[in-house]
């Protein structure tokens, strides 16, 4: 009987912690939406066991939800072979989608949200806690609203 009670409590605690991540995500999504920002720029760094470390941070410009430009650390347009990886996280909506997907499916996710605008400034993901080299992190810096 004690083992059964422990399992029920464990499931309840895990469900509550998942809900906490979802509710924090939802409130920050609402905060972002309320800002009405349609044109912005930021620097994006993706940290993983990836072949593109020397091109970061990538500068991203977005207008009306569409990527206007992706440029590498040297100001050059991002090469096509890396573009798809960065496009996934190159809008605030994309960052929220990455956060939501990992809250739902990864073993561990730590997210920091921008205090003013609500978008994720840091998403640190360990998809499988006991696996090696599956971690990925997304960092947003130098965010600015453009006219």
């Amino acid at each position: 009987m004690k083992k059964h009670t422990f399992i029920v409590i464990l499931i309840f605690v895990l469900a509550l912690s998942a809900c906490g991540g979802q509710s924090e995500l939802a409130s920050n999504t609402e905060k972002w939406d309320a800002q009405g920002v349609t044109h912005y720029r930021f620097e994006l760094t993706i940290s993983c066991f990836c072949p593109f470390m020397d091109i970061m941070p990538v500068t991203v410009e977005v207008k009306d939800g569409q990527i206007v430009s992706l440029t590498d650390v040297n100001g050059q347009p991002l090469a096509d072979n890396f573009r798809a990886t960065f496009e996934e996280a190159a809008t605030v909506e994309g960052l929220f989608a990455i956060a939501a997907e990992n809250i739902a499916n990864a073993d561990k996710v730590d997210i920091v949200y921008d205090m003013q605008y609500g978008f994720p400034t840091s998403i640190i993901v360990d998809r499988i806690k006991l696996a090696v080299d599956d971690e990925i992190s997304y960092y947003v810096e130098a965010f600015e609203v453009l006219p």
Side-chain angles (χ1 to χ4, degrees), residues 105-142:
N105 297 310
D107 283 350
K108 184 173 184 200
V109 183
D110 293 313
I111 304 171
V112 176
Y113 297 94
D114 182 79
M115 294 295 289
Q116 180 176 357
Y117 294 102
F119 62 85
T121 58
S122 170
I123 305 170
I124 302 169
V125 180
D126 187 354
R127 292 184 176 129
I128 304 168
K129 194 167 186 148
L130 297 177
V132 177
D133 298 345
D134 70 316
E135 299 85 5
I136 187 166
S137 302
Y138 304 84
Y139 300 100
V140 172
E141 295 180 300

Side-chain angles (χ1 to χ4, degrees), residues 27-87:
S27 66
N28 279 289
T29 301
E30 288 174 15
K31 182 187 280 189
W32 169 254
D33 290 342
Q35 302 292 322
V37 175
T38 60
H39 193 195
Y40 55 91
R41 178 183 304 127
F42 63 86
E43 292 178 356
L44 174 62
T45 300
I46 299 176
S47 178
C48 58
F49 293 97
C50 308
F52 47 71
M53 296 305 291
D54 59 332
I55 66 168
M56 292 187 285
V58 169
T59 300
V60 178
E61 183 179 342
V62 177
K63 186 169 186 179
D64 298 324
Q66 301 298 312
I67 299 167
V68 175
S69 67
L70 289 170
T71 55
D72 67 19
V73 69
N74 298 313
Q76 298 301 310
L78 205 56
D80 287 341
N81 55 331
F82 298 133
R83 194 170 175 89
T85 301
F86 284 90
E87 283 178 342

